Amino acid sequence: MTTVPPSLPRLGLLPRFRMLRSITLLALPALAAGGLATGALEGAPPAKRISSTDDLQVYDTPRIDPATAPGRPLFEQHCAMCHMGGVAKAASPAFLAMVAPDSIVAALTDGVMRSQGAMLSAEQKVQVAEYITRVPFASYQRPAPPKQCTGRAAEFDLTDVPGPIGWGRDNRRFIPAAVAQLPAAAVPKLKLKWAFAYPAANRARSQPTLAWGTMFVGSQDGTIFAFDPDSGCTRWTTRLSAEARTAIVADPDTRRLYFGDLLGKVHALDAMTGKELWAERMSDHPDATITGTPTLGGGLLYVPVSSLEVVQAGNPAYACCTFRGSVVALDPATGREVWRAWTAGEPKPQGKTAAGAPILGPSGAPVWNSPTYDPVTDRVFFGSGENYSTPADSNSDAVFAVEARTGRQIWRTQLTARDAWNVGCMVGNDSCPTENGPDHDVAASPLLVTADNGRPMLVVGQKSGEAWGLDPATGKIAWRTRLGHGGTQGGVHFGMAAEGGTVFVPINDMADTYDARVYDAKLRGSGLHAIDAATGKVRWFTRAPDTCRGAKFCDPGISAAVTAIPGVVFAGHLDGMFRAYDSRTGRVLWAFDTRQPMPTIDGKTTKGGSISGPGAAVWRGKVVMNSGYGMYSHMAGNALMVFEPTR
């Protein structure tokens, strides 16, 4: 089997500083997936390659030119010494570039950077924020908060206790009939009830959670909303410093909310008021982030830790690499660390590149997915990504089982060996590990399923375009099924779903991945697959129809997580189409184009774009979905939509 360097559709990184510019031209769409076919195929069209960062990023707003921005010399004089690696804990430019500009100004005025900001005038603080974020401050207009709820709409329904479903509770992403209250026969009657435009956003990553009669969701600018699901008014809003990247996890026992953010922090909020109770950063590494949703179970909160250091190695002078992936168990009452399970050995000097940069390894093996907790065996299961540097070890592209109380490893099964890769491989510099990939991350959560034969099975989706069945007791591989060619932004990305012994596997498999690689179209698996959890046998496959009609940044595949209710699977596509499939046959029951302009609850207009990251939430007859993913050559959008069947 031939393999390819990977892609990173899970990461929220848009490096924009000049020293990183040349690497992002090649790397951003190609950091965390694997593939079956690579290079030149007989009769295939010429390979394409990204020519500028503009090809990777999609914005609907004006942009600042960093070369001429007046904030550039100010950043270099006052900020670069720390944020370009001089201080270990200082956020890297890649992270700062994704923070809202008013948050940068606030940090320099009365926040953590106020001592540095004391040397700058108010105008200079704005200029620094513009340079960092590339957003003209004058064009950055945060809309007024949505209408505040009054009367009965302001009341929480305390009888609506959140059940153990969805990311952070049960990663099978199956919503039972009692919660969904949406018969399959009513799905074709779904109509848009109301929509909301996330403020100052070109993407929507946080999956909504419905509990206590309230919809909780985070946004790109760090605002957490508590909506009345019927009207769209808000019971409260809380603004934090960085993008909420994960689903919101509702704790029925304490009425708390848990989630992770761009800067690698886990937050706990009071669900009734939005008050922050605690916030803890999960790693001292400046490139650490949280991509997978924290999981609540067995009295602990299990947090997956990932990072964007893989991009830094595109600079041949960078000492690659020092990040180690992990899962951290926290006391949910306080945020105190109880244990940490590492997914890579401790980095040690391994020599130097020809350019003289130190090589540190092993490293990497980030955890992109939400851990799966099994209350029966009191175990936690999770998957890892590639090593960032030589030597590759046995922890990359692997599935782990650990004791839930202690973090002690019970077993580890590696799905792809010798996988060390970083962006240096894309640009051809000496930072590329000798293994040179293929970066076949296990990016989606492993699903613990009871197969139709009554046996438990751990079903794993990989960016190689494969699904695997593992014995949860031993980690032994029971079956392996190829569903697509995989590759850069190919294979399984954010998440699968399961109804009984059937697992629904979304495959992305983009035709043009902008990284000079060509894949065999005959193997393309873009669409939704239903497989037997006991054997891996494909029960049906519905290919994703191509509705793009040549539109830029438009692809038909399924990158977002899918969600199942009895008889129905909901899937958002990269072309902006939101579809409902018959779970028995794969027939499309309903579809909605989220790219169309939609009126919002405040009298304005919003539109979606590519759908990636979170999947649908279904509750009391309503279907809630995000749309918009303006990164990695996908279409921007900022829509939150609530659907309900017509009577």
Side-chain angles (χ1 to χ4, degrees), residues 12 52 58 99 109 131 143 162-163 259 301 369 400 465 467 497 501 510 643:
S52 76
V58 183
V99 175
T109 302
Y131 172 70
F259 58 93
L301 187 68
N369 45 74
F400 295 76
M510 289 170 60
F643 300 90

Side-chain angles (χ1 to χ4, degrees), residues 312-607:
Q312 302 281 26
N315 172 14
Y318 184 78
C320 178
C321 277
T322 57
F323 173 78
R324 305 167 66 196
S326 63
V327 168
V328 186
L330 303 180
D331 178 348
T334 64
R336 177 184 62 86
E337 181 176 325
V338 177
W339 55 256
R340 183 181 298 260
W342 296 102
T343 55
E346 188 170 358
K348 297 179 180 178
Q350 304 289 338
K352 293 186 177 182
T353 68
I359 300 172
L360 304 170
S363 63
V367 182
W368 303 117
N369 45 74
S370 179
T372 292
Y373 171 70
D374 179 16
V376 176
T377 61
D378 205 28
R379 293 180 177 183
V380 176
F381 305 96
F382 53 89
S384 65
E386 89 285 9
N387 292 118
Y388 291 171
S389 55
T390 296
D393 64 15
S394 58
N395 297 299
S396 57
D397 299 347
V399 181
F400 295 76
V402 302
E403 289 183 348
R405 304 291 175 179
T406 66
R408 183 185 69 85
Q409 187 176 123
I410 300 169
W411 57 256
R412 177 187 68 242
T413 299
Q414 187 171 47
L415 305 183
T416 302
R418 291 188 53 76
D419 188 3
W421 186 93
N422 62 50
V423 176
C425 303
M426 295 297 295
V427 299
N429 69 30
D430 291 324
S431 293
C432 180
T434 57
E435 296 88 347
N436 192 12
D439 191 7
H440 284 175
D441 291 0
V442 179
S445 298
L447 304 189
L448 187 59
V449 176
T450 300
D452 289 342
N453 61 11
R455 296 181 57 185
M457 186 69 70
L458 198 65
V459 181
V460 179
Q462 196 178 0
K463 291 199 176 190
S464 60
E466 297 165 296
W468 304 72
L470 276 61
D471 181 342
T474 64
K476 182 180 179 180
I477 296 172
W479 52 260
R480 173 184 184 182
T481 302
R482 179 164 292 283
L483 301 173
H485 58 57
T488 303
Q489 298 207 53
V492 183
H493 286 190
F494 281 91
M496 307 175 294
E499 180 180 5
T502 302
V503 178
F504 306 103
V505 186
I507 295 291
N508 198 35
D509 277 9
M510 289 170 60
D512 184 357
T513 53
Y514 306 98
D515 69 343
R517 295 191 178 272
V518 177
Y519 301 94
D520 189 345
K522 295 178 182 178
L523 300 174
R524 188 157 300 135
S526 304
L528 187 61
H529 305 247
I531 63 175
D532 181 349
T535 64
K537 180 181 178 180
V538 177
R539 291 180 166 169
W540 54 255
F541 166 43
T542 300
R543 188 174 299 280
D546 190 347
T547 66
C548 293
R549 294 181 290 276
K552 193 175 183 181
F553 304 124
C554 185
D555 293 279
I558 307 176
S559 173
V562 295
T563 302
I565 65 173
V568 181
V569 184
F570 290 96
H573 296 242
L574 282 177
D575 60 2
M577 294 302 298
F578 181 32
R579 295 187 175 94
Y581 296 82
D582 185 315
S583 62
R584 296 165 301 174
T585 66
R587 180 174 63 90
V588 175
L589 301 173
W590 171 85
F592 184 87
D593 187 352
T594 69
R595 295 171 296 181
Q596 62 185 295
M598 294 170 276
T600 65
I601 53 176
D602 55 2
K604 298 179 182 178
T605 301
T606 186
K607 69 175 183 63

Side-chain angles (χ1 to χ4, degrees), residues 214-239:
T214 306
M215 180 171 65
F216 303 99
V217 66
S219 67
Q220 184 178 338
D221 80 339
T223 301
I224 311 300
F225 298 90
F227 287 104
D228 169 34
D230 286 314
S231 67
C233 65
T234 55
R235 293 176 176 144
W236 54 256
T237 61
T238 296
R239 178 102 186 265

Side-chain angles (χ1 to χ4, degrees), residues 615-630:
V618 187
W619 172 89
R620 291 185 177 179
K622 296 179 176 63
V623 179
V624 184
M625 191 65 173
N626 286 322
S627 181
Y629 206 75

